[in-house]
Amino acid sequence: MTLDVLPVGQAARIIAVDWDSLVSEEARRLQALGLEEGASVKVSHRGVLGGADPIAITVGRMIVAVRRVHAAAMQVEAL
């Protein structure tokens, strides 16, 4: 499953990222924030009124807002 469809509150681990589908600057930003293979993540909440963007992702003690297209590039496995 991909990170964009992970249910809110469900813990998961990123198992693969399709870096080629992302703009290189955006890919570097996500890597700098710790969103890469092996990272434990959780969807904290979704956009205003349940909208598509942004998706708030908990990575360690940080909450990072990502666009749905970025989350869709990340394969995860539920923990």
Side-chain angles (χ1 to χ4, degrees):
M1 112 176 56
T2 56
L3 185 56
D4 64 317
V5 297
L6 187 69
V8 172
Q10 172 69 53
R13 177 176 296 113
I14 299 174
I15 56 174
V17 180
D18 182 7
W19 297 115
D20 294 331
S21 70
L22 302 173
V23 176
S24 62
E25 293 82 20
E26 294 171 343
R28 283 194 302 272
R29 176 184 159 264
L30 293 173
Q31 288 175 318
L33 292 170
L35 288 166
E36 56 189 352
E37 291 87 350
S40 295
V41 296
K42 178 173 71 169
V43 174
S44 299
H45 58 272
R46 301 193 188 278
V48 178
L49 302 175
D53 281 329
I55 300 172
I57 308 295
T58 301
V59 183
R61 298 184 324 177
M62 290 187 306
I63 296 179
V64 178
V66 298
R67 293 180 28 209
R68 182 171 293 277
V69 68
H70 298 149
M74 300 179 193
Q75 292 289 324
V76 297
E77 63 180 356
L79 297 177

Coordinates of all heavy atoms in Angstrom, one line a residue:
M1 N 0.8 -1.2 0.0 CA 0.0 0.0 0.0 C 0.9 1.2 0.0 O 2.0 1.2 0.4 CB -1.0 -0.1 1.2 CG -0.8 0.9 2.3 SD -2.0 0.9 3.6 CE -1.9 -0.8 4.2
T2 N 0.3 2.3 -0.4 CA 1.1 3.6 -0.4 C 0.7 4.5 0.7 O -0.4 4.3 1.3 CB 0.9 4.3 -1.8 OG1 -0.5 4.6 -2.0 CG2 1.5 3.6 -2.9
L3 N 1.6 5.4 1.1 CA 1.4 6.2 2.3 C 0.1 7.1 2.1 O -0.5 7.4 3.1 CB 2.6 7.1 2.5 CG 2.6 8.0 3.7 CD1 2.4 7.2 5.0 CD2 4.0 8.7 3.8
D4 N -0.3 7.4 0.9 CA -1.5 8.3 0.8 C -2.8 7.6 1.1 O -3.8 8.3 1.4 CB -1.5 8.9 -0.7 CG -1.7 7.8 -1.7 OD1 -1.0 6.8 -1.6 OD2 -2.5 8.0 -2.6
V5 N -2.8 6.3 1.2 CA -4.0 5.6 1.5 C -4.0 4.9 2.9 O -4.9 4.3 3.3 CB -4.4 4.5 0.5 CG1 -4.7 5.2 -0.9 CG2 -3.3 3.5 0.3
L6 N -2.9 5.1 3.6 CA -2.7 4.6 5.0 C -3.8 5.3 5.9 O -3.9 6.5 5.8 CB -1.3 4.9 5.5 CG -0.9 4.3 6.8 CD1 -0.8 2.7 6.7 CD2 0.4 4.8 7.3
P7 N -4.5 4.5 6.6 CA -5.5 5.1 7.5 C -4.9 6.0 8.6 O -3.8 5.7 9.0 CB -6.2 3.9 8.2 CG -5.9 2.7 7.3 CD -4.5 3.0 6.7
V8 N -5.6 7.0 8.9 CA -5.2 7.9 10.0 C -4.9 7.2 11.3 O -5.8 6.3 11.7 CB -6.2 9.1 10.2 CG1 -5.8 9.9 11.4 CG2 -6.3 9.9 9.0
G9 N -3.8 7.4 11.9 CA -3.5 6.7 13.2 C -2.7 5.4 13.0 O -2.2 4.9 14.0
Q10 N -2.7 4.8 11.8 CA -2.0 3.5 11.6 C -0.5 3.7 11.5 O 0.0 4.5 10.6 CB -2.5 2.9 10.3 CG -1.8 1.6 9.9 CD -2.0 0.5 10.9 OE1 -3.1 0.1 11.2 NE2 -0.9 -0.1 11.3
A11 N 0.3 3.0 12.3 CA 1.7 3.1 12.2 C 2.2 2.2 11.0 O 1.6 1.2 10.7 CB 2.4 2.6 13.5
A12 N 3.3 2.7 10.3 CA 3.8 1.9 9.2 C 5.3 2.2 9.0 O 5.8 3.1 9.7 CB 3.1 2.3 7.9
R13 N 5.9 1.4 8.2 CA 7.3 1.6 7.8 C 7.4 1.8 6.3 O 6.8 1.1 5.6 CB 8.1 0.4 8.2 CG 9.6 0.5 7.8 CD 10.4 -0.7 8.3 NE 10.5 -0.7 9.8 CZ 9.9 -1.7 10.5 NH1 9.3 -2.7 9.9 NH2 10.0 -1.7 11.8
I14 N 8.2 2.8 5.9 CA 8.4 3.0 4.5 C 9.3 1.9 4.0 O 10.4 1.7 4.5 CB 9.0 4.4 4.2 CG1 8.1 5.5 4.7 CG2 9.3 4.5 2.7 CD1 8.6 6.9 4.6
I15 N 8.9 1.2 3.0 CA 9.7 0.1 2.4 C 10.3 0.4 1.1 O 11.3 -0.2 0.7 CB 8.9 -1.3 2.3 CG1 7.6 -1.1 1.5 CG2 8.6 -1.8 3.7 CD1 6.8 -2.4 1.3
A16 N 9.7 1.4 0.4 CA 10.3 1.8 -0.9 C 9.7 3.2 -1.3 O 8.6 3.5 -0.9 CB 9.9 0.8 -2.0
V17 N 10.6 3.9 -2.0 CA 10.1 5.3 -2.5 C 10.5 5.3 -4.0 O 11.6 5.0 -4.4 CB 10.8 6.4 -1.7 CG1 10.4 7.7 -2.2 CG2 10.6 6.3 -0.2
D18 N 9.6 5.8 -4.8 CA 9.8 6.0 -6.2 C 10.3 7.4 -6.4 O 9.6 8.3 -6.8 CB 8.5 5.8 -7.0 CG 8.7 5.9 -8.5 OD1 9.8 6.0 -8.9 OD2 7.6 5.9 -9.2
W19 N 11.6 7.5 -6.1 CA 12.3 8.8 -6.2 C 12.2 9.4 -7.6 O 12.1 10.6 -7.8 CB 13.7 8.8 -5.8 CG 13.9 8.4 -4.3 CD1 14.5 7.2 -3.8 CD2 13.5 9.1 -3.2 NE1 14.4 7.2 -2.5 CE2 13.8 8.3 -2.0 CE3 12.8 10.3 -3.0 CZ2 13.5 8.7 -0.7 CZ3 12.5 10.7 -1.7 CH2 12.9 9.9 -0.6
D20 N 12.2 8.6 -8.6 CA 12.2 9.1 -10.0 C 10.9 9.8 -10.4 O 10.8 10.6 -11.3 CB 12.4 7.9 -11.0 CG 13.8 7.4 -10.9 OD1 14.7 8.1 -10.5 OD2 14.0 6.2 -11.2
S21 N 9.8 9.5 -9.6 CA 8.5 10.1 -9.9 C 8.4 11.5 -9.3 O 7.4 12.2 -9.5 CB 7.4 9.3 -9.4 OG 7.3 9.2 -8.0
L22 N 9.4 11.9 -8.5 CA 9.4 13.2 -7.8 C 10.4 14.2 -8.4 O 11.4 13.7 -8.9 CB 9.7 13.0 -6.3 CG 8.8 12.0 -5.5 CD1 9.3 11.8 -4.1 CD2 7.4 12.6 -5.5
V23 N 10.1 15.4 -8.3 CA 11.0 16.5 -8.7 C 12.2 16.4 -7.8 O 12.1 16.2 -6.6 CB 10.3 17.9 -8.6 CG1 11.3 19.0 -8.9 CG2 9.1 18.0 -9.5
S24 N 13.4 16.5 -8.3 CA 14.6 16.2 -7.5 C 14.7 17.1 -6.3 O 15.2 16.6 -5.2 CB 15.9 16.4 -8.4 OG 16.0 17.7 -8.8
E25 N 14.3 18.4 -6.3 CA 14.4 19.2 -5.1 C 13.4 18.7 -4.1 O 13.7 18.8 -2.9 CB 14.0 20.7 -5.5 CG 15.1 21.4 -6.4 CD 14.8 21.0 -7.9 OE1 13.8 20.6 -8.3 OE2 15.8 21.2 -8.6
E26 N 12.2 18.3 -4.5 CA 11.3 17.8 -3.5 C 11.8 16.5 -2.9 O 11.6 16.3 -1.7 CB 9.9 17.6 -4.2 CG 9.3 18.9 -4.7 CD 8.0 18.7 -5.5 OE1 7.8 17.5 -6.0 OE2 7.3 19.6 -5.7
A27 N 12.4 15.6 -3.7 CA 12.9 14.4 -3.2 C 14.0 14.6 -2.2 O 14.0 14.0 -1.1 CB 13.5 13.5 -4.4
R28 N 14.9 15.6 -2.4 CA 15.9 15.9 -1.5 C 15.3 16.4 -0.2 O 15.8 16.1 0.9 CB 16.9 16.9 -2.0 CG 17.9 16.3 -3.0 CD 19.1 17.3 -3.3 NE 18.6 18.5 -3.9 CZ 18.5 18.8 -5.2 NH1 18.7 17.8 -6.0 NH2 18.1 20.0 -5.6
R29 N 14.3 17.3 -0.3 CA 13.6 17.8 0.9 C 13.0 16.7 1.8 O 13.2 16.6 3.0 CB 12.5 18.8 0.5 CG 11.7 19.3 1.7 CD 10.6 20.2 1.2 NE 9.6 20.3 2.3 CZ 8.5 19.6 2.3 NH1 8.2 18.7 1.4 NH2 7.7 19.7 3.3
L30 N 12.3 15.7 1.1 CA 11.7 14.6 1.8 C 12.8 13.8 2.5 O 12.6 13.3 3.7 CB 10.9 13.8 0.9 CG 9.6 14.5 0.3 CD1 9.0 13.6 -0.7 CD2 8.7 14.8 1.4
Q31 N 13.9 13.5 1.8 CA 15.0 12.8 2.4 C 15.6 13.5 3.6 O 15.8 12.9 4.7 CB 16.1 12.5 1.4 CG 15.6 11.4 0.4 CD 16.7 11.2 -0.7 OE1 17.3 12.2 -1.2 NE2 16.9 10.0 -1.1
A32 N 15.7 14.8 3.5 CA 16.3 15.6 4.6 C 15.3 15.6 5.8 O 15.8 15.6 7.0 CB 16.5 17.0 4.2
L33 N 14.0 15.4 5.6 CA 13.1 15.3 6.7 C 12.9 13.9 7.3 O 12.2 13.7 8.2 CB 11.7 15.8 6.2 CG 11.6 17.3 5.9 CD1 10.3 17.7 5.2 CD2 11.8 18.1 7.1
G34 N 13.7 13.0 6.7 CA 13.6 11.6 7.2 C 12.6 10.7 6.6 O 12.4 9.6 7.0
L35 N 12.0 11.1 5.5 CA 11.0 10.3 4.8 C 11.7 9.5 3.7 O 11.7 9.8 2.5 CB 9.9 11.2 4.2 CG 8.9 11.8 5.2 CD1 8.1 12.9 4.6 CD2 8.0 10.7 5.8
E36 N 12.3 8.4 4.1 CA 13.0 7.5 3.2 C 12.9 6.1 3.7 O 12.2 5.8 4.7 CB 14.5 7.9 3.1 CG 15.2 7.9 4.5 CD 16.6 8.6 4.3 OE1 17.0 8.8 3.2 OE2 17.2 8.8 5.3
E37 N 13.4 5.1 2.9 CA 13.2 3.7 3.2 C 13.7 3.4 4.7 O 14.7 3.9 5.1 CB 14.1 2.8 2.3 CG 13.5 2.8 0.8 CD 14.1 4.0 0.0 OE1 14.7 4.9 0.5 OE2 13.8 4.0 -1.2
G38 N 12.8 2.6 5.4 CA 13.1 2.2 6.7 C 12.5 3.1 7.8 O 12.5 2.7 9.0
A39 N 12.0 4.3 7.4 CA 11.5 5.2 8.4 C 10.1 4.7 8.9 O 9.3 4.3 8.1 CB 11.4 6.6 7.8
S40 N 9.9 4.9 10.2 CA 8.6 4.6 10.8 C 7.8 5.9 10.7 O 8.2 7.0 11.1 CB 8.7 4.2 12.2 OG 9.4 2.9 12.3
V41 N 6.5 5.7 10.2 CA 5.7 6.9 10.0 C 4.2 6.6 10.5 O 3.9 5.4 10.7 CB 5.6 7.3 8.5 CG1 7.0 7.8 8.0 CG2 5.1 6.2 7.6
K42 N 3.4 7.7 10.6 CA 2.0 7.5 10.9 C 1.3 8.7 10.3 O 1.8 9.9 10.4 CB 1.8 7.5 12.4 CG 0.4 7.4 12.9 CD 0.3 7.2 14.4 CE 0.7 8.5 15.1 NZ 0.3 8.4 16.5
V43 N 0.2 8.5 9.7 CA -0.6 9.6 9.2 C -1.4 10.2 10.4 O -2.1 9.5 11.1 CB -1.7 9.2 8.1 CG1 -2.6 10.3 7.7 CG2 -0.9 8.6 6.9
S44 N -1.1 11.5 10.7 CA -1.7 12.2 11.8 C -3.0 12.7 11.5 O -4.0 12.6 12.2 CB -0.8 13.3 12.3 OG 0.5 12.8 12.7
H45 N -3.1 13.4 10.3 CA -4.4 13.8 9.8 C -4.3 14.3 8.4 O -3.2 14.4 7.9 CB -5.0 15.0 10.7 CG -4.1 16.2 10.8 ND1 -3.2 16.3 11.8 CD2 -4.1 17.3 10.1 CE1 -2.6 17.5 11.7 NE2 -3.1 18.1 10.7
R46 N -5.5 14.4 7.8 CA -5.5 14.9 6.4 C -6.0 16.3 6.3 O -6.4 16.9 7.3 CB -6.4 13.9 5.6 CG -5.9 12.5 5.7 CD -6.6 11.6 4.7 NE -6.3 10.2 4.9 CZ -5.2 9.6 4.5 NH1 -4.3 10.3 3.8 NH2 -4.9 8.3 4.8
G47 N -5.9 16.8 5.1 CA -6.3 18.2 4.8 C -7.6 18.7 5.4 O -8.4 18.0 6.0
V48 N -7.8 20.0 5.3 CA -9.0 20.7 5.8 C -10.2 20.0 5.4 O -10.4 19.7 4.2 CB -9.0 22.2 5.4 CG1 -10.2 22.9 5.9 CG2 -7.7 22.9 5.9
L49 N -11.1 19.7 6.3 CA -12.4 19.0 6.0 C -12.2 17.7 5.3 O -13.0 17.3 4.4 CB -13.3 20.0 5.2 CG -13.6 21.3 5.8 CD1 -14.4 22.2 4.9 CD2 -14.4 21.1 7.1
G50 N -11.1 17.0 5.6 CA -10.9 15.7 5.0 C -10.4 15.8 3.5 O -10.4 14.8 2.8
G51 N -9.9 16.9 3.1 CA -9.5 17.1 1.7 C -8.2 16.3 1.4 O -7.6 15.6 2.3
A52 N -7.8 16.3 0.2 CA -6.7 15.5 -0.3 C -5.3 16.0 0.2 O -4.5 15.2 0.5 CB -6.7 15.4 -1.8
D53 N -5.1 17.3 0.2 CA -3.8 17.9 0.6 C -4.0 18.9 1.7 O -5.0 19.6 1.8 CB -3.2 18.6 -0.6 CG -2.6 17.7 -1.6 OD1 -2.1 16.6 -1.2 OD2 -2.6 18.0 -2.8
P54 N -3.0 19.1 2.5 CA -1.9 18.2 2.7 C -2.2 17.0 3.6 O -3.3 17.0 4.2 CB -0.9 19.2 3.4 CG -1.7 20.0 4.2 CD -3.0 20.3 3.4
I55 N -1.2 16.1 3.7 CA -1.3 15.0 4.6 C -0.3 15.2 5.7 O 0.9 15.4 5.4 CB -1.1 13.6 3.9 CG1 -2.2 13.4 2.8 CG2 -1.1 12.5 4.9 CD1 -1.9 12.2 1.9
A56 N -0.7 15.2 7.0 CA 0.3 15.4 8.1 C 0.8 14.0 8.5 O 0.1 13.1 8.8 CB -0.4 16.1 9.2
I57 N 2.1 13.8 8.4 CA 2.8 12.6 8.6 C 3.7 12.8 9.9 O 4.5 13.7 9.9 CB 3.7 12.2 7.4 CG1 2.9 12.2 6.1 CG2 4.4 10.8 7.7 CD1 1.8 11.2 6.1
T58 N 3.6 11.9 10.8 CA 4.5 11.9 12.0 C 5.7 11.0 11.6 O 5.5 9.8 11.3 CB 3.8 11.3 13.2 OG1 2.6 12.1 13.5 CG2 4.7 11.3 14.4
V59 N 6.9 11.6 11.8 CA 8.1 10.9 11.5 C 9.0 11.2 12.8 O 9.4 12.3 13.0 CB 8.9 11.5 10.3 CG1 10.2 10.7 10.1 CG2 8.0 11.5 9.1
G60 N 9.1 10.1 13.6 CA 9.8 10.3 14.9 C 9.0 11.3 15.8 O 7.8 11.1 16.0
R61 N 9.6 12.4 16.2 CA 8.9 13.4 17.0 C 8.4 14.6 16.2 O 7.9 15.5 16.7 CB 9.8 13.9 18.1 CG 10.1 12.7 19.1 CD 10.9 13.2 20.3 NE 11.9 14.2 20.0 CZ 12.6 14.8 20.9 NH1 12.6 14.4 22.1 NH2 13.5 15.8 20.5
M62 N 8.6 14.5 14.9 CA 8.2 15.6 14.0 C 6.9 15.3 13.3 O 6.6 14.1 13.0 CB 9.2 15.8 12.8 CG 10.5 16.4 13.2 SD 11.5 16.7 11.7 CE 11.5 15.2 10.8
I63 N 6.1 16.4 12.9 CA 5.0 16.2 12.1 C 5.3 17.0 10.8 O 5.6 18.2 10.9 CB 3.7 16.7 12.7 CG1 3.4 15.9 13.9 CG2 2.5 16.7 11.7 CD1 2.1 16.3 14.7
V64 N 5.2 16.3 9.7 CA 5.6 16.9 8.4 C 4.4 16.9 7.5 O 3.7 15.9 7.4 CB 6.8 16.1 7.7 CG1 7.1 16.6 6.4 CG2 8.0 16.0 8.7
A65 N 4.1 18.0 6.8 CA 3.0 18.1 5.9 C 3.6 17.7 4.5 O 4.6 18.3 4.0 CB 2.4 19.4 5.9
V66 N 2.9 16.8 3.8 CA 3.3 16.4 2.5 C 2.1 16.4 1.5 O 1.0 16.3 2.0 CB 4.0 15.0 2.4 CG1 5.3 15.0 3.2 CG2 3.1 13.9 2.8
R67 N 2.4 16.6 0.3 CA 1.3 16.6 -0.7 C 1.0 15.1 -1.0 O 1.8 14.2 -0.8 CB 1.8 17.3 -2.0 CG 1.9 18.8 -1.8 CD 2.4 19.5 -3.1 NE 2.0 18.9 -4.3 CZ 2.7 19.0 -5.4 NH1 3.8 19.7 -5.5 NH2 2.3 18.4 -6.5
R68 N -0.2 14.9 -1.4 CA -0.7 13.5 -1.7 C 0.2 12.8 -2.8 O 0.5 11.7 -2.7 CB -2.1 13.5 -2.2 CG -2.7 12.1 -2.5 CD -4.2 12.1 -2.7 NE -4.9 12.5 -1.6 CZ -5.3 11.7 -0.6 NH1 -4.9 10.4 -0.7 NH2 -5.9 12.1 0.4
V69 N 0.7 13.6 -3.8 CA 1.5 13.0 -4.8 C 2.8 12.5 -4.2 O 3.3 11.5 -4.7 CB 1.8 14.0 -6.0 CG1 2.6 15.2 -5.5 CG2 2.4 13.3 -7.2
H70 N 3.3 13.2 -3.2 CA 4.6 12.7 -2.5 C 4.3 11.4 -1.8 O 5.0 10.4 -1.8 CB 5.1 13.7 -1.6 CG 5.5 15.0 -2.3 ND1 5.4 16.2 -1.7 CD2 6.0 15.2 -3.5 CE1 5.9 17.1 -2.6 NE2 6.2 16.5 -3.7
A71 N 3.2 11.4 -1.0 CA 2.8 10.2 -0.2 C 2.5 9.0 -1.1 O 2.8 7.9 -0.8 CB 1.6 10.5 0.6
A72 N 2.0 9.3 -2.3 CA 1.7 8.2 -3.3 C 2.9 7.5 -3.8 O 2.9 6.4 -4.3 CB 0.8 8.7 -4.4
A73 N 4.1 8.2 -3.7 CA 5.3 7.6 -4.2 C 6.0 6.7 -3.2 O 7.0 6.1 -3.5 CB 6.3 8.8 -4.6
M74 N 5.4 6.6 -2.0 CA 6.0 5.9 -0.9 C 5.2 4.6 -0.6 O 4.0 4.7 -0.2 CB 6.1 6.7 0.4 CG 6.9 8.0 0.2 SD 7.0 9.0 1.6 CE 7.7 10.5 1.0
Q75 N 5.9 3.5 -0.8 CA 5.3 2.2 -0.4 C 5.5 1.9 1.1 O 6.6 2.1 1.5 CB 5.9 1.0 -1.2 CG 5.6 1.1 -2.7 CD 4.1 0.7 -3.0 OE1 3.5 -0.1 -2.3 NE2 3.5 1.4 -3.9
V76 N 4.5 1.5 1.8 CA 4.6 1.3 3.2 C 4.0 -0.1 3.6 O 3.2 -0.7 2.9 CB 3.9 2.4 4.1 CG1 4.5 3.7 3.8 CG2 2.4 2.4 3.8
E77 N 4.5 -0.6 4.8 CA 3.9 -1.8 5.3 C 3.4 -1.4 6.7 O 4.1 -0.7 7.5 CB 4.9 -2.9 5.4 CG 6.1 -2.7 6.3 CD 7.1 -3.9 6.3 OE1 6.8 -4.9 5.7 OE2 8.1 -3.7 7.0
A78 N 2.2 -1.8 7.0 CA 1.6 -1.5 8.3 C 2.4 -2.3 9.4 O 2.9 -3.4 9.2 CB 0.1 -1.9 8.4
L79 N 2.5 -1.6 10.6 CA 3.2 -2.2 11.7 C 2.1 -2.7 12.8 O 1.1 -2.3 12.8 CB 4.1 -1.2 12.4 CG 5.3 -0.7 11.5 CD1 6.1 0.3 12.3 CD2 6.1 -1.9 11.1

